[in-house]
Amino acid sequence: MRKPFIAGNWKMNLDLSEAVKLASGLKEELAGVTDLDIGVFPSAILLPDVVDALTGSGIVVGAQNMHNEEKGAFTGEISGPMIKSAGATHVILGHSERRHVFGESDELVNLKLKAAHKFGLSPIVCVGEKLEEREADRTAAIVERQVKAAFDGISREPAEATVIAYEPVWAIGTGRTATPEQANEVHVIIRRLLARLYDDELANGFRIQYGGSVKPENATALMAQPDVDGFLVGGASLKVDSFVGIIRY
Ligand code: PEP
């Protein structure tokens, strides 16, 4: 059985006091929830305070991005060891906003995934097609290309410790959600590809989150799909009520 993993991507939202308040509210509301994994991904500058606020809660904390190098002349960037030293354990890689707003390539996501494993962080790798790609019937080809490229040269053990978030670009922040069947169909494509790249055991145990306008109202139907193993949530993760509502799907 795959343990569901529900993660909140706070993006470039919340200042220090708002972030700590949200983290403290989640700690209180979610005390005793152990049947699924929960994570929050605040802005990097807030990581140490959010880690502090969540100590003892079981809620994991991660960064939204990282550089693939350990250190150096990369003004404005943060490294894996910096994220770890802030007390965080996870990192989101290749989010669609990183790919499509900041121009991150499949190759760069692959370098970052290798670096996350090297520096002992648990990665969530995001993949997903744009609207025009779905309309041109290219969803499977795009997602397969992104997964193959991200996992290029990655051996079984680190691959197994990775999570994929399928996030159709047209559903992120738009209020337009993939239907449960559309989400599951792509999750099956990803799982079959993982079985080809690695083996059935890895593929069957591998967690694939769905992301794209997940709300308390659609969480139950999405989670009822056999290959949906949790969510990566943007907007609805910014309030205790809506994030907890999703977690209590
Ligand atoms: C996201 O940022 O990964 C996301 C899915 O955002 P939203 O839930 O707001 O669509």
Side-chain angles (χ1 to χ4, degrees):
M1 273 307 285
R2 299 182 293 267
K3 190 175 187 186
F5 181 15
I6 300 187
N9 172 14
W10 294 355
K11 309 196 187 189
M12 198 175 75
N13 293 297
L14 309 178
D15 65 16
L16 175 58
S17 63
E18 291 165 337
V20 169
K21 193 169 164 221
L22 174 56
S24 307
L26 293 175
K27 182 177 178 177
E28 199 179 308
E29 285 292 322
L30 297 170
V33 176
T34 53
D35 50 351
L36 75 182
D37 291 332
I38 302 165
V40 294
F41 292 75
S43 148
I45 197 170
L46 305 173
L47 285 172
D49 295 276
V50 173
V51 167
D52 273 357
L54 289 172
T55 300
S57 68
I59 300 174
V60 301
V61 182
Q64 299 169 13
N65 179 33
M66 60 175 261
H67 197 279
N68 54 290
E69 293 290 343
E70 182 176 357
K71 58 177 157 180
F74 303 106
T75 302
E77 291 289 319
I78 56 162
S79 70
M82 290 173 189
I83 295 167
K84 281 207 84 173
S85 73
T89 50
H90 286 62
V91 65
I92 296 172
L93 300 173
H95 188 276
S96 83
E97 286 144 24
R98 298 301 318 170
R99 291 179 189 264
H100 302 302
V101 181
F102 297 99
E104 287 194 8
S105 64
D106 287 342
E107 292 70 30
L108 185 59
V109 175
N110 174 247
L111 290 176
K112 291 184 178 201
L113 183 54
K114 287 175 175 155
H117 291 139
K118 179 174 158 192
F119 299 125
L121 289 164
S122 302
I124 298 177
V125 178
C126 304
V127 298
E129 80 289 359
K130 295 195 255 182
L131 184 59
E132 61 266 31
E133 293 165 339
R134 174 162 283 267
E135 285 172 348
D137 216 7
R138 291 177 57 220
T139 299
I142 297 294
V143 168
E144 288 191 343
R145 188 205 75 214
Q146 291 172 331
V147 173
K148 267 191 211 155
F151 284 79
D152 187 39
I154 293 188
S155 59
R156 191 185 190 284
E157 203 182 317
E160 206 173 17
T162 304
V163 169
I164 289 178
Y166 167 57
E167 301 205 298
V169 180
W170 48 271
I172 298 180
T174 58
R176 208 179 141 180
T177 324
T179 64
E181 294 73 24
Q182 281 174 324
N184 200 67
E185 189 183 12
V186 179
H187 287 217
V188 169
I189 289 168
I190 294 171
R191 204 175 301 287
R192 288 198 183 133
L193 174 60
L194 290 168
R196 292 205 299 279
L197 294 176
Y198 297 96
D199 52 62
D200 285 345
E201 194 191 335
L202 180 140
N204 290 333
F206 197 98
R207 292 189 293 186
I208 306 173
Q209 299 171 321
Y210 167 76
S213 300
V214 176
K215 308 181 257 301
E217 299 77 45
N218 56 26
T220 307
L222 284 159
M223 274 306 291
Q225 293 293 319
D227 284 278
V228 174
D229 307 317
F231 302 121
L232 182 54
V233 185
S237 72
L238 293 172
K239 294 221 158 68
V240 173
D241 286 358
S242 45
F243 195 48
V244 169
I246 290 169
I247 289 163
R248 298 207 184 278
Y249 67 87

